[in-house]
Amino acid sequence: MGFGLGSRGLDQLGHLGRLESPAIQEGWGGAVGFESCGSLPLGMIKHSSASTLEYLPPLTELGMVLLPIAPGWGVACLGIQMIMLLKQAGRQLWQQPLTWIFGAISIWLFGVTAIAPYPLESLLGVANFVPFFLVFLAFSTLFNTLERLERLAWLIVAPSLAIAVLGLGELWFGWRTPPLIWQLFGWGLTGEGNPPTRLSSTFMYANICAAYLLMAFLLGVGLWLRDFAWGKLRQSRIFLYLTVTLLLDGVALILTNSRNVWAIAFLGLFIYAIYVGWWWICGFATGFGTAILGASFGQTPWRDPLRQIVPYYFWGRLSDQMHRGRAIEDLRITQWQFVLDMIRQRPLTGWGIRSFTPSYEVAMNRWLGHPHNFYLMLTSEIGIPFAALLIGTIGWLYAQGVLAWRRLSDRGNRLLLFSYLMAFGGYVLFNTLDVTVLDLRLNLFTWLLLSAIWGVGQQVNQAGNQGQSDSQPE
C-alpha cells in the first residue's frame, strides 16, 4: 500500500520547482559538483512550482524509498551515491573546517579504542560514527536547495505509510511474514510486535520504530500545512495520500507505546499550531495534555475522575502502573548513575565506544544495549572534551539552519525548513531518554536531516551575508 504510487507517483509527490541556476542543472551521471554550494541570491530562493520537478540522483531516490523497508538495499544505494559525491567534491571538502573537525574526532575515536578496556567492541562502535561523518559531508553538497529538501521530505514521508500499515496489520490482524522476508530484508513480522502488544513493524524494537515514525510525522505535518486547504482533500490525490499517511502514522506512533515519542510528538504538534496561529488547537491540546498528566500524576480526589475519562492506555503507561515491579537495573536513573560514575573515573579519555554494555553487565549482572541517554553515553565513551566538540559542532550546524530559516521570506520555504528543524530537534530530544545512533536506519536518517539543514543553511546564509555586504556603502 505504501509503495503503490510507483515512480510516477513519487514524481508527482514532490511538487518541486527547478531553479534556473546552471550550477544545479548538472547531469546525474556522476554527482552534483560542490560548486553548486556557491552563494545564490535570496531572490532566487522562491517557493517551488508544481509545474516543474527537480529530481534527486536516481540512487538517492531509490535508496531513500528502500531504506525503511529494505535497509540493506537502501544503504547500498546511498553508499554508492555517497562515494560518487565524495569523489566529485573531494578537494573542496578538504578546504572546509568541518571536514577537519570530523577528521579530528574520528582520529580520537580510534585513539580511544587503543586504550579501551573492551577494544573490539570499541572498534566496532566506531562504525556508528565515522562513516556517517562522511555521509553528512557528502550529502550536504547535494541537499543544497529548497527544492531538493522538498523532494527529500516527500521521499521520507511517502514510504512511512507502508511502515504504519505493516505495523498496524501485525498488531490488529496478526500478520506474520515468512522466513524469506527476513533473509531478503532483515526483518520479520511476528504477529504481536516487539515487545509484545507494542507496534514495531519492520524495526527490531518498538522504540526504534517510534523514532522513525516521529521523524516522518513531523516532516509530514510541515508538508501538509505548507499546502493546506480543505478543498484539496477532494481535488488532490497527493494531498489526500499525505493526509491518510499522517493519520495512520499518528495511530501507529501511539501504538508503539513510547512515552518519549508521545511527549515529543505532542510538543511538535503544539509548536506547529503556534507557528500557523491555530490557537484553538493550542487550547484543546493544553486541556487534553492537562487531563492526561492529571490522570497520570495527580493527587486524589482530582485524579480519580480524570482516570474515568482518560484511557488507561495513556495514564497507566505514563505513570508506569502498566509495568510495576521493574528491576532496579532496568530503571533509567540506575543506568544514568552508572554512566556518571564512568565519566567521573575517566573524564578526559572515556572508556571507548560501546563500553557501557559490557561494563554494566559485569557490575549489575544485567545486559543492556545502551543507557537510554545518548549524551551521557557519548561522554562516557570518548571523554568530556571530544564529546563536547561533537555535540557542540552539531549544535552549531543546527543553529545555522535556524538562522537560515529566519532569513527566508517565503512562507512555504520557511515552513519547509522549519519542518526539518522540527524533525531533527525531535531526534535531539528523543536521545535524552533513548539512543538512535545504534540503529543503522535511524542513524542514517539523522545525519541526512542534518546534512540537508546545513546544505541549505549555507546557501541562504551566504546569500544573506552577500546581500548585506553589497548594501553597505563604501
Side-chain angles (χ1 to χ4, degrees):
M1 183 175 180
F3 296 96
L5 292 174
S7 59
R8 292 183 60 189
L10 280 173
D11 291 346
Q12 296 174 358
L13 283 174
H15 285 292
L16 305 180
R18 184 186 299 274
L19 295 178
E20 296 303 321
S21 170
I24 62 173
Q25 292 186 6
E26 298 186 25
W28 300 117
V32 176
F34 193 76
E35 60 271 16
S36 65
C37 285
S39 177
L40 291 174
L42 281 176
M44 294 179 65
I45 304 174
K46 300 177 180 178
H47 187 74
S48 55
S49 169
S51 61
T52 57
L53 176 69
E54 179 170 357
Y55 294 92
L56 293 174
L59 283 174
T60 302
E61 300 221 348
L62 183 61
M64 293 303 301
V65 172
L66 290 177
L67 188 58
I69 202 161
W73 299 2
V75 168
C77 293
L78 293 173
I80 295 172
Q81 184 66 68
M82 179 193 73
I83 294 172
M84 296 167 67
L85 290 168
L86 290 174
K87 182 179 178 181
Q88 182 79 10
R91 292 183 180 179
Q92 290 86 348
L93 286 175
W94 279 112
Q95 298 173 5
Q96 283 197 59
L98 271 177
T99 303
W100 293 95
I101 292 174
F102 284 124
I105 295 172
S106 300
I107 293 173
W108 179 252
L109 295 180
F110 285 106
V112 168
T113 297
I115 61 174
Y118 304 98
L120 179 59
E121 286 83 352
S122 183
L123 182 61
L124 295 174
V126 170
N128 292 321
F129 293 92
V130 175
F132 297 93
F133 297 161
L134 297 176
V135 167
F136 166 81
L137 292 171
F139 281 93
S140 64
T141 68
L142 174 62
F143 303 139
N144 57 6
T145 70
L146 290 158
E147 283 74 10
R148 292 175 188 169
L149 257 66
E150 186 178 9
R151 180 69 171 178
L152 176 64
W154 277 104
L155 290 169
I156 292 174
V157 173
S160 69
L161 179 60
I163 306 302
V165 169
L166 288 171
L168 294 173
E170 181 181 30
L171 280 190
W172 289 347
F173 306 111
W175 288 359
R176 297 174 181 268
T177 52
L180 179 63
I181 297 298
W182 174 267
Q183 296 169 5
L184 290 175
F185 304 134
W187 57 266
L189 301 182
T190 64
E192 58 182 3
N194 185 35
T197 73
R198 294 180 61 183
L199 186 144
S200 58
S201 190
T202 65
F203 293 83
M204 65 180 296
Y205 196 76
N207 284 357
I208 302 174
C209 183
Y212 165 78
L213 290 170
L214 175 69
M215 171 200 62
F217 184 75
L218 292 177
L219 274 178
V221 171
L223 291 175
W224 191 84
L225 290 173
R226 193 168 183 245
D227 294 319
F228 169 74
W230 289 117
K232 284 192 174 183
L233 290 174
R234 295 191 304 268
Q235 300 170 359
S236 172
R237 293 181 181 179
I238 303 304
F239 191 75
L240 178 60
Y241 176 88
L242 177 59
T243 303
V244 172
T245 298
L246 288 177
L247 289 174
L248 292 184
D249 281 359
V251 173
L253 191 150
I254 292 173
L255 293 178
T256 61
N257 212 356
S258 169
R259 294 172 292 183
N260 189 9
V261 168
W262 286 355
I264 298 171
F266 183 84
L267 177 63
L269 288 175
F270 193 83
I271 293 174
Y272 269 124
I274 294 175
Y275 186 93
V276 298
W278 288 0
W279 303 110
W280 64 274
I281 290 184
C282 295
F284 174 79
T286 300
F288 182 72
T290 301
I292 291 180
L293 291 176
S296 302
F297 308 109
Q299 301 296 321
T300 54
W302 308 106
R303 179 187 63 192
D304 295 337
L306 289 174
R307 289 188 172 181
Q308 300 298 318
I309 301 172
V310 177
Y312 172 73
Y313 185 81
F314 293 109
W315 66 259
R317 175 62 172 147
L318 291 174
S319 64
D320 215 24
Q321 292 196 22
M322 278 187 178
H323 306 284
R324 294 181 178 179
R326 291 179 186 266
I328 190 172
E329 296 85 359
D330 294 335
L331 299 178
R332 281 179 167 84
I333 188 65
T334 305
Q335 300 160 28
W336 297 342
Q337 290 172 349
F338 185 86
V339 174
L340 288 172
D341 288 339
M342 294 177 67
I343 295 172
R344 280 190 283 264
Q345 294 176 38
R346 287 192 179 184
L348 297 179
T349 63
W351 294 79
I353 307 297
R354 301 302 306 273
S355 58
F356 168 80
T357 296
S359 300
Y360 198 78
E361 188 173 15
V362 170
M364 299 291 188
N365 195 30
R366 175 70 169 170
W367 188 94
L368 282 177
H370 55 77
H372 291 87
N373 185 300
F374 168 74
Y375 311 104
L376 290 178
M377 183 186 78
L378 181 69
T379 305
S380 72
E381 291 176 343
I382 66 175
I384 295 175
F386 275 87
L389 178 60
L390 178 56
I391 295 172
T393 300
I394 294 173
W396 181 81
L397 294 169
Y398 187 82
Q400 297 306 301
V402 175
L403 180 60
W405 166 74
R406 294 184 62 183
R407 282 178 162 165
L408 291 173
S409 58
D410 181 83
R411 175 187 176 278
N413 287 336
R414 285 173 59 87
L415 193 49
L416 176 64
L417 184 54
F418 186 76
S419 68
Y420 274 84
L421 296 171
M422 289 285 289
F424 188 83
Y427 272 165
V428 171
L429 293 177
F430 182 85
N431 275 281
T432 60
L433 294 171
D434 220 309
V435 175
T436 60
V437 72
L438 302 180
D439 181 82
L440 175 62
R441 283 177 284 184
L442 292 187
N443 202 12
L444 188 52
F445 277 124
T446 301
W447 285 101
L448 289 173
L449 289 176
L450 187 62
S451 71
I453 292 171
W454 169 241
V456 164
Q458 285 186 101
Q459 294 285 344
V460 176
N461 292 330
Q462 288 175 11
N465 292 335
Q466 181 180 0
Q468 290 178 2
S469 64
D470 292 342
S471 64
Q472 292 178 355
E474 296 184 359

